[in-house]
Amino acid sequence: MVLLSSANIDYHLPFIVRKSDGSIIHPRKEFDAFAQHQLDVSRLDRIAEHLWMVGRVGNVHPLHRQHVLGRQVILTEQADLHLLWIDKTIFIKPLPAWLLDEAIWKQHIRISPRLQACANGFLRTYAYLVAYECDFAIATRLNLIPEGFTWPSWLNLVQDRLLPLCLDRNPLSFAPRYTYGELRLSRINILYRLLPKLKLKHFFRGYYYGSQAYQGFLERNFAWLVAGFAYLALVLTAMQVGLATKQLENNTAFNAASYGFTIFAILVPLFAVAVVAALSLLLMIYHVRATLKHLHETTVAIKP
């Protein structure tokens, strides 16, 4: 399994890594913290009992199949975005060279059952992603696997290291997230907004906050309103035509239904606009408060 020697492993590590909370990790000095950060899937493990609604057990398509499905592969260094997909996009974390170094496994990974479970699950996904020689060509072109591999050397790695993980049936060997393969990101966002045990901030941000402006957020989450309004207009037009016919002109039930639906069609758009406006206001308040909080924490941190 050894790919790198300890002498040159530093060249495959970044100088600094910034975490989501703004803190900085120096991988070459704080490797344990770096490895924990790079393999962390705790956000998905937190909702592991609900993941059956967003993916299937062990479902990982090879890279060539991702192309057949019309998906664009987006590289990410976040392990908790690895194999999450939305629309025609799937996120894949490149296989880091340091994760294939035997010395690192002995000194850092095997001493932590949690970290080893995350590493095992992540490595196992690559046995499925790069299953054929054409997958290897795609992975090489996308820089998903470290430099220096050939197809025969990759097969040796799969046989010696990855295949035993595929045959391992002990659930404790893997982080709960890796019981499942590809996960639908849109449904994970819904879970993060609706599950009561999560924090209020998740209601606003969901799991993955891809929108960088209110317009994009509203377009993504309220596009269905346009279709709803179009349907209302279609039904009102049909009712108007129906009232003009002799068969329905004096029909009491149809007249009552037309009256009720007309009132409904007037009130629903007003209610929808009010909801969108209220949500936009809440989002603005939330982001202003979050910005002020971050500014305060940053100011306190840099004070002597």
Side-chain angles (χ1 to χ4, degrees):
M1 179 177 112
V2 178
L3 177 67
L4 301 168
S5 65
S6 299
N8 64 8
I9 192 65
D10 280 354
Y11 293 106
H12 294 266
L13 299 176
F15 276 103
I16 62 171
V17 172
R18 184 178 181 272
K19 298 174 64 176
S20 59
D21 62 2
S23 60
I24 300 297
I25 297 175
H26 298 86
R28 305 182 186 197
K29 298 179 180 178
E30 308 167 279
F31 186 83
D32 287 335
F34 169 71
Q36 292 282 354
H37 175 262
Q38 289 293 291
L39 298 174
D40 181 32
V41 290
S42 58
R43 290 200 301 161
L44 291 173
D45 288 347
R46 195 176 304 148
I47 59 170
E49 67 270 25
H50 303 286
L51 290 182
W52 62 270
M53 293 186 284
V54 300
R56 290 185 293 161
V57 173
N59 179 43
V60 180
H61 292 104
L63 290 173
H64 78 274
R65 180 63 178 170
Q66 305 291 348
H67 283 255
V68 171
L69 295 173
R71 292 176 179 170
Q72 179 186 10
V73 174
I74 301 296
L75 273 62
T76 177
E77 288 296 341
Q78 286 184 239
D80 58 9
L81 282 180
H82 182 59
L83 295 183
L84 270 60
W85 66 274
I86 183 169
D87 299 329
K88 292 296 183 179
T89 297
I90 185 167
F91 298 95
I92 297 181
K93 176 179 172 62
L95 179 61
W98 56 264
L99 193 57
L100 302 177
D101 183 71
E102 187 64 35
I104 285 180
W105 273 78
K106 291 180 179 179
Q107 298 171 18
H108 302 279
I109 296 180
R110 289 199 179 101
I111 63 175
S112 170
R114 169 65 186 169
L115 186 59
Q116 183 172 350
C118 292
N120 285 343
F122 177 74
L123 283 175
R124 185 172 63 177
T125 65
Y126 265 88
Y128 303 127
L129 284 171
V130 187
Y132 298 89
E133 191 168 2
C134 60
D135 299 323
F136 177 80
I138 296 172
T140 303
R141 175 169 54 84
L142 295 178
N143 295 320
L144 288 174
I145 57 178
E147 294 182 0
F149 270 112
T150 62
W151 175 239
S153 63
W154 176 260
L155 290 179
N156 290 335
L157 174 68
V158 172
Q159 180 178 353
D160 296 340
R161 185 68 181 91
L162 305 188
L163 183 58
L165 294 176
C166 297
L167 300 177
D168 190 344
R169 294 295 180 262
N170 182 6
L172 298 179
S173 298
F174 308 95
R177 175 267 176 270
Y178 288 111
T179 300
Y180 301 86
E182 298 168 16
L183 303 176
R184 190 188 295 261
L185 179 55
S186 58
R187 293 182 184 175
I188 294 178
N189 275 326
I190 293 174
L191 287 176
Y192 253 71
R193 288 193 171 101
L194 299 182
L195 288 178
K197 67 179 182 179
L198 298 175
K199 296 180 179 179
L200 180 61
K201 69 177 183 179
H202 295 123
F203 175 78
F204 295 101
R205 301 184 66 89
Y207 180 83
Y208 174 71
Y209 197 70
S211 302
Q212 299 299 316
Y214 295 137
Q215 180 181 355
F217 173 81
L218 295 176
E219 287 177 352
R220 179 182 293 272
N221 291 279
F222 292 99
W224 57 271
L225 284 177
V226 177
F229 292 159
Y231 179 74
L232 288 177
L234 179 64
V235 173
L236 288 172
T237 302
M239 285 183 167
Q240 186 177 9
V241 173
L243 290 172
T245 63
K246 293 181 180 181
Q247 291 85 348
L248 297 175
E249 182 179 7
N250 298 317
N251 187 296
T252 303
F254 188 79
N255 275 268
S258 299
Y259 171 77
F261 194 82
T262 300
I263 301 300
F264 175 78
I266 294 173
L267 295 178
V268 165
L270 294 176
F271 176 76
V273 170
V275 169
V276 172
L279 185 57
S280 298
L281 179 61
L282 289 173
L283 283 172
M284 183 180 67
I285 294 173
Y286 168 77
H287 284 109
V288 169
R289 292 188 62 182
T291 301
L292 292 175
K293 180 181 178 181
H294 182 265
L295 178 61
H296 174 72
E297 293 174 348
T298 304
T299 304
V300 172
I302 62 177
K303 283 184 177 180

